[in-house]
Amino acid sequence: MKNTLYVVIPCYNEQEVLSETAKQMKDKMEQLIRQKKISDLSRVVFINDGSKDNTWQMICKLHQDNPLFSGINLSKNRGHQNALLAGLMTVKEYADMVISMDADLQDDINAIDQMVDKYLAGCDIVYGVRSKRKTDSFFKRFTAEAFYRIMNHLGANTVFNHADYRLMSKRALEGLAQFKEVNLFLRGIVPMIGYPSDIVTYERKERFAGESKYPLKKMLALALEGITSLSIKPIRLITGLGFMVFFVSIAMLIYILVRFFMGATVVGWASVAVSVWAIGGLLLLSIGVVGEYIGKIYLETKERPRFIVESFLEEEHKQGHQ
């Protein structure tokens, strides 16, 4: 039987939730194996992204106790997107399909059944889409939904209310491997791959334990990363603002000349002050946006590794595939 499923789960300081995540994933994987939807070679792979607590020790213990669990230890903390990519790229040669999800159990693991069904029906990519956010505060819900709308408006093609809970086939993973960006925003890159895709909706739950790894500051940083790594629309917006300011300045010049020939040569200081501040602010904003893109180019040209795997707890499974 083929249909080997790997579930990759990035972890950063997740010792409080890891045991429960492993328990629920074990039950779900064993259920799918019994139903013969997936192979008994399927695995749950935890990616340790430079955790400072006992996360890696717990992953090693899980692997020792049950071959269903495996682990990847990164050489240092690389951030969620790089850790996720490390998991996907490391396991793609062993899996027919890979599901990525977070360790906090906010994404409903029961949606895995529907994802696998859609894969078996011919889909290469299945997106987990949050239908409701009842457990989120109004502020969190508002900012999260605004995040997706702004991203799409500025040219980053994302699936609304989809984070990183998705299924990808081996073919889709091979397509993802061809994207060499150092500045990663997988939510925008994956839709570029193409191939038949579908969605599965689920209700977002409360975090089982621990603290969120994506507070507002990190969400804003992720949004900036996504926009500037996937779209040049912000630079085009600056160009548009530049033209608008130019036309306003022409109108002001005409107005001042008319006032001059009418004999009203005294000009109010307020209009001058406002103009100086407005143009100065626009210039600083423009320099900042252009600088962000130059910084991205600088990092891309260096071609630094996006992740370095220190160890992979899967040697015996590798031999089984040879």
Side-chain angles (χ1 to χ4, degrees):
M1 176 185 174
K2 231 177 173 184
N3 298 335
T4 302
L5 168 65
Y6 271 55
V7 180
V8 297
I9 306 176
C11 301
Y12 176 69
N13 294 343
E14 297 288 5
Q15 65 178 15
E16 294 177 339
V17 73
L18 195 59
S19 295
E20 181 62 24
T21 303
K23 176 180 176 297
Q24 292 193 25
M25 286 306 306
K26 176 178 177 292
D27 293 342
K28 175 55 62 180
M29 296 292 279
E30 289 178 346
Q31 173 198 329
L32 291 169
I33 291 170
R34 283 195 304 271
Q35 293 172 350
K36 300 190 182 300
K37 288 186 176 181
I38 63 174
S39 161
D40 57 4
L41 291 174
S42 299
R43 295 289 183 269
V44 177
V45 184
F46 296 104
I47 300 97
N48 179 45
D49 185 23
S51 297
K52 297 176 182 177
D53 60 7
N54 293 320
T55 296
W56 179 240
Q57 289 79 3
M58 293 177 70
I59 293 171
C60 292
K61 182 68 165 61
L62 286 168
H63 174 68
Q64 208 172 39
D65 294 343
N66 191 334
L68 174 68
F69 297 110
S70 183
I72 296 170
N73 190 33
L74 301 187
S75 61
K76 60 172 291 188
N77 178 263
R78 305 293 299 189
H80 179 270
Q81 295 290 283
N82 287 287
L84 179 53
L85 184 71
L88 296 173
M89 294 298 101
T90 302
V91 307
K92 68 182 175 65
E93 61 183 288
Y94 312 114
D96 299 301
M97 51 182 153
V98 178
I99 290 178
S100 59
M101 62 182 294
D102 292 336
D104 55 18
L105 296 175
Q106 286 189 289
D107 296 329
D108 185 5
I109 65 169
N110 291 315
I112 291 175
D113 298 66
Q114 297 176 63
M115 289 182 175
V116 172
D117 288 341
K118 288 184 181 291
Y119 165 80
L120 295 174
C123 286
D124 284 281
I125 303 173
V126 184
Y127 301 99
V129 175
R130 297 160 181 174
S131 59
K132 297 178 183 177
R133 289 176 171 267
K134 289 181 180 179
T135 58
D136 290 346
S137 65
F138 170 79
F139 178 76
K140 173 69 174 176
R141 188 164 56 249
F142 174 79
T143 53
E145 292 182 354
F147 167 80
Y148 291 104
R149 290 193 173 94
I150 292 170
M151 291 290 294
N152 288 335
H153 180 70
L154 290 179
N157 181 27
T158 61
V159 177
F160 186 74
N161 263 341
H162 162 71
D164 288 298
Y165 189 23
R166 71 179 75 88
L167 178 148
M168 299 180 70
S169 68
K170 182 187 286 288
R171 182 169 71 153
L173 288 170
E174 294 292 349
L176 177 62
Q178 296 180 50
F179 289 80
K180 303 300 183 181
E181 283 97 326
V182 173
N183 304 284
L184 277 179
F185 184 67
L186 292 174
R187 301 177 199 183
I189 293 174
V190 172
M192 293 181 183
I193 297 171
Y195 297 137
S197 63
D198 205 342
I199 67 168
V200 165
T201 58
Y202 66 94
E203 188 170 338
R204 181 178 169 85
K205 300 178 181 179
E206 290 185 6
R207 183 181 174 87
F208 182 81
E211 296 180 354
S212 171
K213 304 303 184 295
Y214 267 105
L216 179 61
K217 182 180 178 181
K218 284 195 174 182
M219 283 296 291
L220 290 173
L222 182 65
L224 182 63
E225 182 75 35
I227 292 166
T228 54
S229 64
L230 294 173
S231 171
I232 62 168
K233 200 164 185 179
I235 289 183
R236 288 178 176 167
L237 287 174
I238 288 175
T239 304
L241 280 172
F243 277 114
M244 186 170 67
V245 171
F246 173 73
F247 289 129
V248 169
S249 66
I250 295 295
M252 286 295 293
L253 176 61
I254 295 170
Y255 170 74
I256 290 168
L257 288 174
V258 170
R259 296 276 293 175
F260 174 78
F261 287 115
M262 290 176 61
T265 56
V266 178
V267 181
W269 66 270
S271 60
V272 174
V274 169
S275 299
V276 169
W277 279 101
I279 294 173
L282 179 60
L283 285 172
L284 288 173
L285 174 64
S286 304
I287 292 169
V289 173
V290 173
E292 186 71 26
Y293 279 93
I294 292 172
K296 290 284 189 298
I297 295 168
Y298 171 73
L299 292 174
E300 293 291 343
T301 55
K302 281 182 171 293
E303 296 184 350
R304 289 173 175 168
R306 294 171 291 184
F307 57 85
I308 297 174
V309 175
E310 182 177 317
S311 54
F312 180 27
L313 305 177
E314 199 68 352
E315 291 304 321
E316 66 274 22
H317 191 44
K318 284 183 183 179
Q319 294 169 7
H321 274 268
Q322 289 175 354

